[in-house]
Amino acid sequence: MDTAVKKNVIKGDDDSILKCRYLVAFLEFFSLFQISFYRIATSISIVTMVNNTAINSHEILSNNTISCPSNYSDETGYIIPENDGEFDWSPAIQGYIHGSGFMGYVIALMPGGILAETYGAKIIVLSGLLLSTASHLLSPLAARSSSYLMITVQFLRGLGQGCIPAAQSVLSTNWFPKSERGFLNSLIMTGYSFGAVTSGLLSGAMCSSSFFGGWPSVYYIYGTLGLFLCLCFYIFVFESPMCHPRISHAELVFILQDQESDLSLKRPPTPWKCILTSAPVYAVTYAIFGAFWVGAQCFSIQTIFLGTILHFSIQENGVFTAGPFAFQVVLSFIASWICKWLNSNNYVGVDKVRRGNNFLFCLGYSLCILGVYYAGCHRVQSTVFSVAAMSFSGLTFSGCMIAPLDVAPNFAGTLMGFSYTIGSLSSFIFPVLVGVMTDEKQTLEEWNKIFWISIGIIMSSGIIFCVFGSAEVQPWNYPATEYTEKTSANENNYKEQVEEIEFPVDTLIHP
């Protein structure tokens, strides 16, 4: 294609915003929106479903006391209500319910990407949407049948949702031209935060209403919307632009001419020995473990603390659960622009930016959780500190969460899968740990132990990443001579891509 034709094609493509690739991006946004939407709804509904009075009476009979009494008046004279649901689930059972969803998510992360590359991304994303939606719809029936069946259904929901992110990245690679890939992927990733905020604001009010029996409404209504998303995804999304029967010729040519032509060429074999013996890889992985630890607190742990210890109403619980996600988006955009400015003006390199952002997250989170510890039963101070603590995780989106892309651009997919799979284990461990520690004593004293454990994990991850981590391209990124010759050109091209992707990538934090 000559230059004149290229210019005409590109100009014609810019005439309209109704593009097939934008519709793909729109539906991918709602696929990630659905993940957080279901997670937050489940966390808030469980607070309503559980009969805290029955659980508390068991603790009183065991000579345990509640540090923050229920039905007391706060500073404004407002009487704090109790949540008396229909299920007598112990904190340990609640922890397993929360953790099972995250465990399913962890297990499906790497297989989802492999299956997408083998059988096609659309069918894997659609299968994940259908499985997670069906599991969400069946949750009320499962809960009323058995707590163990509820755990199984939540595991299946996580399994379906775990297939979506990796498969979706394959779909994005097929559809988005290189010049728009960073921008469109950034918008898609914000679906995590918007889903969490929307679900947090709506779920509390729906659970406290009488519509569809209260808490079951968040499963029936959200599940119905999920089925509608599945239908739209099936009708409007195609595996690649060349498979789309209604795409314009101008858009098709525009996409194909602005994609890497060498993606199908042979790649060097994955240097597993180098990866598994690399200190920066393990430092990055542990930093991601810490980031997911805070993500688990945002999605499930915080709702339990607000409901059982501080005794917030379910509506207030939903609002305060959504708050950190809104602040994360703001903080992540601010941090992204500052980092881009620092890198563009050569004030600091990418390596220092990654480690600096991650350390500020760890320090800010730890200091705020320390504030929660000293606030005790003072609801306002405790809530302000906890929201601020989780908001600091927005800094990880310019820190450890995208560091695997820096360490080995040629093996970014493999390294991301490795680090995220191990890091996501904290999303399962944290809820289960909370359930076990508070099973016998649902007291502020036990929660303070949990806070100290969190501070230890987060601060140690920040220090280890700062000392042993790196965002420099590792030597084993170019294992063969033919690739070593291209190192300089690839690094320059990669730095340009980094500036595009340094926007919120909430992937992460909330697997």
Side-chain angles (χ1 to χ4, degrees), residues 83-322:
N83 293 319
D84 295 330
E86 58 186 282
F87 301 104
D88 186 9
W89 289 340
S90 68
I93 292 296
Q94 295 177 53
Y96 289 125
I97 292 173
H98 286 298
S100 61
F102 288 111
M103 177 53 73
Y105 184 86
V106 171
I107 292 174
L109 275 174
M110 290 195 72
I114 295 172
L115 290 172
E117 292 175 350
T118 305
Y119 299 105
K122 176 183 175 179
I123 186 63
I124 301 303
V125 174
L126 186 58
S127 298
L129 290 172
L130 279 171
L131 178 59
S132 57
T133 297
S135 300
H136 196 71
L137 278 168
L138 291 173
S139 292
L141 178 62
R144 285 171 171 151
S145 299
S146 166
S147 60
Y148 298 105
L149 188 57
M150 180 65 168
I151 292 172
T152 302
V153 167
Q154 293 305 307
F155 175 79
L156 292 175
R157 173 184 61 80
L159 206 63
Q161 291 180 332
C163 294
I164 295 173
Q168 193 164 269
S169 67
V170 176
L171 199 64
S172 297
T173 302
N174 294 342
W175 269 96
F176 302 152
K178 184 172 59 177
S179 59
E180 297 179 351
R181 193 172 297 155
F183 173 71
L184 291 177
N185 279 325
S186 298
L187 291 181
I188 291 169
M189 292 302 177
T190 59
Y192 285 110
S193 290
F194 280 104
V197 171
T198 305
S199 185
L201 295 176
L202 294 179
S203 298
M206 293 172 65
C207 287
S208 60
S209 70
S210 58
F211 186 65
F212 273 118
W215 64 264
S217 63
V218 301
Y219 295 99
Y220 296 140
I221 295 177
Y222 294 177
T224 302
L225 293 175
L227 290 176
F228 180 72
L229 174 62
C230 292
L231 180 62
C232 292
F233 203 92
Y234 175 77
I235 295 174
F236 297 111
V237 174
F238 293 84
E239 187 66 27
S240 69
M242 292 182 290
C243 298
H244 202 300
R246 295 179 296 276
I247 189 172
S248 67
H249 178 71
E251 183 180 8
L252 176 61
V253 174
F254 175 77
I255 293 173
L256 296 180
Q257 73 181 10
D258 195 23
Q259 288 188 326
E260 296 87 350
S261 58
D262 59 347
L263 287 178
S264 60
L265 298 180
K266 66 175 183 178
R267 295 176 57 237
T270 303
W272 281 111
K273 182 178 179 180
C274 295
I275 291 175
L276 296 176
T277 57
S278 171
V281 168
Y282 285 108
V284 168
T285 301
Y286 186 45
I288 293 174
F289 182 93
F292 275 106
W293 184 276
V294 179
Q297 183 177 358
C298 294
F299 278 111
S300 58
I301 306 305
Q302 179 69 357
T303 57
I304 300 174
F305 178 72
L306 293 175
T308 60
I309 299 299
L310 298 184
H311 305 290
F312 278 104
S313 68
I314 196 64
Q315 297 98 321
E316 293 170 320
N317 200 324
V319 172
F320 292 135
T321 299

Side-chain angles (χ1 to χ4, degrees), residues 318-446:
V319 172
F320 292 135
T321 299
F325 293 100
F327 289 118
Q328 282 174 21
V329 173
V330 175
L331 188 59
S332 60
F333 271 109
I334 294 174
S336 295
W337 283 113
I338 292 176
C339 293
K340 182 178 180 181
W341 177 75
L342 290 172
N343 289 331
S344 300
N345 291 278
N346 295 318
Y347 291 123
V348 293
V350 173
D351 179 53
K352 291 182 179 178
V353 163
R354 296 285 180 267
R355 291 193 282 182
N357 269 285
N358 202 72
F359 188 76
L360 286 177
F361 148 67
C362 296
L363 184 63
Y365 171 86
S366 299
L367 290 175
C368 289
I369 290 297
L370 200 60
V372 174
Y373 171 80
Y374 283 110
C377 292
H378 295 283
R379 301 167 77 232
V380 175
Q381 295 95 315
S382 179
T383 304
V384 169
F385 278 120
S386 62
V387 170
M390 291 178 286
S391 298
F392 271 101
S393 63
L395 294 173
T396 62
F397 307 146
S398 296
C400 66
M401 300 302 288
I402 57 175
L405 299 176
D406 304 301
V407 173
N410 278 339
F411 307 101
T414 300
L415 198 55
M416 289 281 275
F418 175 80
S419 298
Y420 273 56
T421 298
I422 296 177
S424 296
L425 289 174
S426 62
S427 300
F428 169 76
I429 295 172
F430 196 8
V432 173
L433 176 68
V434 170
V436 171
M437 291 185 66
T438 61
D439 191 33
E440 296 296 331
K441 294 190 296 183
Q442 187 64 268
T443 66
L444 186 61
E445 180 184 3
E446 294 301 312

